[in-house]
Amino acid sequence: MYKSGKRYIFRLIIIFFGVILTIINILNLFLAEKISYACKINFLFNNIILFVLGMGIFVFIYCVIIKIKYKKKSIIIASIGLFLLEIFISYHIAFLPGWDVAQILGNAWKVAMHEKGLSNDYFSYYPNNLLLVGIFSVILRIGKSFAFLIAVQCFLYCLAGYLLFDLILEYTKTVWLAWLGWGIYFILVGTSAWFVVPYSDSMGIIFPALLLWIYRNVRKSEWKISNIVIFSCITFIGYHIKPQTIIVSIAIIVVEIIELLFDFRKRLKKSIISFLIICIIFLAGNSFLNIWIERMGYQINWEMQKGWSHFLMMGLNTESGGIYSVEDNLFSDSFLLKKERKEANLQKVKERVQKLGGGIIIYEMKKALVNFNDGTFLFGIEGGDKFCIKEEPEKDPIITPFLRNIFLRTGNYYNINACIKQGSWISILFFMLGNVFLVLSKKITREQIVLLVSIIGFILFQMLFEARSRYMLVYMVILILCAINGVNEAFTYIRTHRKKL
């Protein structure tokens, strides 16, 4: 009875996941060119053609894997190779970004060099970026240059790819699928020029992967307090660098609660201890962070903070299409107290929902395209004309222009690069549908449900709050892992079905 009840809940989650992904795929493949929405990217070809291109990329990677006689241990060499490639590309295409990145980099340098003139007002509005400033300041103090900071970010990209490989291997038990996933990661993320932009999206890419990886280790080994402490610390750090990363931790907690309901006596003690450890780590972490903020020299006015209600309000702005809105920022700034600001934001949310009525469905469709129909993740467009405020001098008269033409949006060959990435991205979203076959599986693992709940939570988050395709970057390890698991489940179903015939 208990097992059947748990299986029933898991299957409902799978079905809900399938419905959401089906809607997103239909929007991308058949309606993207027909609907007008914010931050719309015009690629050289429509998404149907790019989807075929993406499928071809999957096949090409598979053929390469077969020819080189894939080995598990070779992933270390491949990861080092990717790191060196990213460093080489960064050396030639690096530039000084504007918008929020400039605020964080400028303040991190001042903190590292013990200079004055910190941006107290900016970080009073967005205190969630203060931990990132602190981490960047430590890195800059060690490396004495922004180039070293980019190198650290490149390392995190490669480490995330390595963890992806390991997770796919654990989920599918198939080496070639792990290489396939890493190959797609190489094309879509490993060679995305976002690694030269030091910001929360790129720094945050490691945390969802780490959280899933640690959870996998906890499940494989005996329950240990040390693992829970590490998990809690990574959750805390990830949340304060990029709030979306905590969705993975929430997904894990939700699935563990489901398990607890069906195995109450055995799991109650461990669950209580785990909950207490998480609470203690967060309380201690907040205290430590506040002390660090003061020692860095900031004088934060916490009443100026723009909380979740502000971003929810922006997410419902039909005039801006759910993206960043100057008007909404000015509206929130007009309230001096946090409580008043929150009440005003929520009132505005209520008014916008009422005004939309049934039209909210069309609005959310457009917003879904803002979030999920850009495989370049808004590179070169984020921040408008302030995306790049200064280009570095050419390092080589031939190599530098060539690489900039490929990786920078202003380049002559960038559109080809963008099409390859868009095709790969569209294919990932399609292959994620393969997880629906889990409904027919007799054995649904806890890790698989955590994966699906993580993505459901992430999608709902993006559909509620401020829309940005850039936020996909943080979740790429999870999304690619889900796509490859979908491929595996589809193949498993086909093999089983053939045997029955």
Side-chain angles (χ1 to χ4, degrees):
M1 179 180 174
Y2 289 156
K3 287 185 178 180
S4 61
K6 185 172 67 175
R7 193 180 296 115
Y8 178 75
I9 294 173
F10 284 176
R11 284 177 174 170
L12 284 177
I13 291 170
I14 296 165
I15 292 169
F16 185 52
F17 170 86
V19 170
I20 293 175
L21 262 295
T22 299
I23 293 170
I24 290 173
N25 275 282
I26 290 172
L27 286 170
N28 280 355
L29 291 173
F30 304 109
L31 299 175
E33 281 75 31
K34 300 176 183 178
I35 296 177
S36 176
Y37 57 92
C39 300
K40 186 172 183 177
I41 307 295
N42 294 315
F43 295 96
L44 291 175
F45 307 101
N46 63 44
N47 279 348
I48 295 290
I49 295 174
L50 293 176
F51 171 67
V52 175
L53 172 64
M55 297 289 281
I57 291 170
F58 270 77
V59 173
F60 173 77
I61 294 173
Y62 171 76
C63 292
V64 171
I65 293 167
I66 295 301
K67 282 188 177 182
I68 64 174
K69 297 180 181 180
Y70 52 85
K71 295 179 181 179
K72 179 183 174 181
K73 293 182 180 179
S74 301
I75 186 59
I76 297 174
I77 298 172
S79 298
I80 294 172
L82 176 58
F83 175 72
L84 295 175
L85 176 63
E86 288 179 347
I87 293 295
F88 180 76
I89 294 170
S90 300
Y91 177 74
H92 288 281
I93 74 167
F95 56 88
L96 182 62
W99 47 296
D100 296 67
V101 182
Q103 284 281 3
I104 292 171
L105 288 178
N107 276 261
W109 184 261
K110 288 176 182 178
V111 172
M113 300 298 118
H114 305 288
E115 297 177 3
K116 295 182 180 179
L118 301 177
S119 304
N120 287 305
D121 284 350
Y122 173 83
F123 290 102
S124 293
Y125 288 131
Y126 309 109
N128 57 294
N129 284 327
L130 281 166
L131 179 59
L132 194 62
V133 170
I135 293 172
F136 279 3
S137 69
V138 173
I139 296 171
L140 290 172
R141 196 172 294 147
I142 296 169
K144 306 294 183 183
S145 71
F146 290 119
F148 184 71
L149 178 57
I150 292 174
V152 171
Q153 198 160 259
C154 290
F155 172 76
L156 292 178
Y157 267 57
C158 297
L159 180 58
Y162 175 83
L163 293 178
L164 170 65
F165 182 93
D166 198 44
L167 285 167
I168 293 174
L169 202 57
E170 179 65 29
Y171 272 69
T172 67
K173 313 297 181 187
T174 309
V175 177
W176 76 264
L177 282 174
W179 275 112
L180 178 63
W182 190 86
I184 293 299
Y185 179 88
F186 175 90
I187 291 172
L188 199 54
V189 184
T191 56
S192 168
W194 272 113
F195 54 72
V196 301
V197 182
Y199 196 39
S200 56
D201 305 284
S202 292
M203 295 298 288
I205 196 171
I206 192 66
F207 291 98
L210 268 177
L211 289 168
L212 266 191
W213 191 77
I214 291 169
Y215 178 66
R216 187 277 309 269
N217 288 346
V218 171
R219 292 275 293 118
K220 285 179 70 175
S221 60
E222 293 183 6
W223 183 87
K224 293 180 181 179
I225 291 178
S226 59
N227 287 330
I228 306 301
V229 171
I230 295 170
F231 176 85
S232 303
C233 289
I234 291 173
T235 298
F236 177 84
I237 297 169
Y239 172 72
H240 282 87
I241 288 179
K242 201 70 179 177
Q244 288 93 323
T245 61
I246 203 174
I247 296 172
V248 177
S249 298
I250 294 172
I252 290 170
I253 292 170
V254 167
V255 173
E256 287 299 314
I257 289 173
I258 294 172
E259 292 286 343
L260 175 64
L261 292 174
F262 293 98
D263 197 359
F264 193 77
R265 291 181 181 179
K266 186 178 179 181
R267 298 181 181 275
L268 181 60
K269 183 180 177 181
K270 292 179 180 179
S271 298
I272 292 173
I273 294 173
S274 299
F275 176 75
L276 289 174
I277 290 172
I278 292 171
C279 290
I280 291 169
I281 293 295
F282 265 73
L283 289 171
N286 279 323
S287 298
F288 173 79
L289 182 57
N290 289 332
I291 293 170
W292 196 9
I293 289 169
E294 290 180 8
R295 289 191 174 181
M296 283 191 291
Y298 286 98
Q299 297 176 350
I300 301 300
N301 181 357
W302 298 100
E303 288 298 322
M304 294 172 63
Q305 182 179 3
K306 294 175 182 176
W308 62 269
S309 58
H310 168 76
F311 295 99
L312 180 63
M313 177 184 69
M314 281 206 300
L316 284 163
N317 189 326
T318 54
E319 293 182 6
S320 69
I323 63 172
Y324 175 85
S325 166
V326 175
E327 291 74 18
D328 279 351
N329 266 282
L330 293 173
F331 176 78
S332 291
D333 292 346
S334 66
F335 299 92
L336 299 177
L337 299 177
K338 190 190 296 185
K339 183 179 179 182
E340 291 179 355
R341 186 179 302 109
K342 180 180 178 181
E343 290 174 353
N345 290 156
L346 292 178
Q347 179 59 35
K348 185 72 75 172
V349 167
K350 183 179 178 182
E351 290 172 3
R352 287 176 176 176
V353 171
Q354 290 175 344
K355 185 178 179 180
L356 278 167
I360 196 169
I361 297 174
I362 301 298
Y363 173 72
E364 289 296 332
M365 287 169 60
K366 293 181 178 181
K367 197 173 170 184
L369 289 169
V370 174
N371 284 314
F372 306 110
N373 188 38
D374 178 15
T376 68
F377 313 122
L378 218 61
F379 183 82
I381 296 177
E382 186 66 77
D385 57 0
K386 293 182 179 180
F387 179 78
C388 169
I389 57 177
K390 181 184 177 182
E391 284 191 359
E392 295 293 323
E394 287 188 2
K395 303 298 190 301
D396 183 273
I398 298 175
I399 298 175
T400 300
F402 176 71
L403 290 176
R404 287 179 178 177
N405 275 325
I406 294 174
F407 293 102
L408 301 185
R409 188 171 287 273
T410 54
N412 295 330
Y413 315 130
Y414 180 80
N415 285 334
I416 299 172
N417 183 17
C419 285
I420 292 171
K421 286 178 168 48
Q422 178 70 353
S424 301
W425 172 239
I426 295 293
S427 299
I428 284 173
L429 291 172
F430 176 78
F431 283 128
M432 284 167 67
L433 281 171
N435 289 278
V436 175
F437 288 106
L438 281 168
V439 172
L440 306 173
S441 177
K442 293 181 180 179
K443 186 181 179 181
I444 305 171
T445 67
R446 208 182 307 176
E447 289 85 353
Q448 288 172 323
I449 297 301
V450 165
L451 182 63
L452 300 190
V453 174
S454 296
I455 292 174
I456 290 171
F458 178 66
I459 291 172
L460 294 179
F461 184 96
Q462 292 303 124
M463 296 304 294
L464 281 172
F465 296 97
E466 178 192 9
R468 266 301 190 264
S469 63
R470 169 168 56 87
Y471 299 152
M472 298 299 112
L473 195 64
V474 182
Y475 251 64
M476 281 315 299
V477 169
I478 307 294
L479 295 168
I480 295 174
L481 172 60
C482 185
I484 299 301
N485 191 68
V487 171
N488 185 55
E489 291 302 323
F491 281 173
T492 300
Y493 173 77
I494 292 170
R495 285 196 299 266
T496 306
H497 191 66
R498 280 182 177 176
K499 287 179 182 179
K500 289 182 178 179
L501 291 175

